[in-house]
Amino acid sequence: GISGKSLSDRIEAEEFALQKGACILHLSGICGDVEDGRSPAFIMKHMTNSLRNINYIHITDIIQITSLFVSDGRGSGHRVCVSSGAYTVGDICAVLGLEGEDVPPANPPPSKDLLPNKLIANDFLRSMLPKGYTFTPPLPGLLPIQSTL
């Protein structure tokens, strides 16, 4: 693990916390009004495949969701994947106005059964949010390719 402890230690600690009524939030890629390299524009400089999917959650949504879960305990005893959905690198580049060599090539997976990467399901999260909750997009005008599995 990050702290030098094994992953099994983390899992054991999380299981203990869940049994005590905690809510474990697993965050996808964080984006929003940040200047530390988490912006979609910065991340695009390091992408090599325009077909790749990136799962994002806006910092505004993290704050709202955390506040909701803490205020009424709605997540008590659950692990929750916090993601507004998956976005393709190509779509992000288009919204950013990138063209030509600034857009990574489309490299399809070697098999149609293989995804370029994983999509994070947010069905459970959506079921716990107020009806009609709208996620903040990583960039204005960017829509997820799929918000749930």
Side-chain angles (χ1 to χ4, degrees):
I2 295 173
S3 65
K5 296 189 180 228
S6 72
L7 185 57
S8 63
D9 287 344
R10 173 184 160 189
I11 292 169
E12 185 179 326
E14 286 183 1
E15 289 302 322
F16 176 79
L18 288 169
Q19 290 172 3
K20 298 293 182 185
C23 177
I24 309 283
L25 300 177
H26 294 282
L27 304 177
S28 62
I30 300 170
C31 65
D33 300 323
V34 291
E35 298 295 328
D36 62 355
R38 290 185 177 148
S39 72
F42 176 83
I43 291 170
M44 289 310 98
K45 294 178 184 176
H46 304 282
M47 291 291 114
T48 59
N49 184 354
S50 65
L51 297 178
R52 180 181 166 93
N53 302 320
I54 300 177
N55 297 281
Y56 273 124
I57 187 70
H58 196 280
I59 196 163
T60 302
D61 292 313
I62 295 170
I63 293 166
Q64 290 177 352
I65 290 165
T66 303
S67 296
L68 277 170
F69 282 29
V70 169
S71 68
D72 65 8
R74 71 180 65 201
S76 181
H78 296 284
R79 286 179 200 277
V80 182
C81 294
V82 181
S83 176
S84 62
Y87 307 84
T88 67
V89 167
D91 289 345
I92 294 169
C93 288
V95 168
L96 291 170
L98 301 177
E99 298 175 339
E101 292 183 14
D102 292 330
V103 178
N107 298 315
S111 164
K112 68 177 183 168
D113 297 328
L114 297 175
L115 293 174
N117 56 351
K118 63 183 175 184
L119 299 175
I120 296 176
N122 68 1
D123 292 344
F124 185 64
L125 170 63
R126 286 182 176 276
S127 75
M128 299 180 83
L129 295 175
K131 187 175 182 171
Y133 183 89
T134 303
F135 289 100
T136 304
L139 294 166
L142 185 64
L143 299 174
I145 57 166
Q146 187 173 350
S147 59
T148 60
L149 286 176

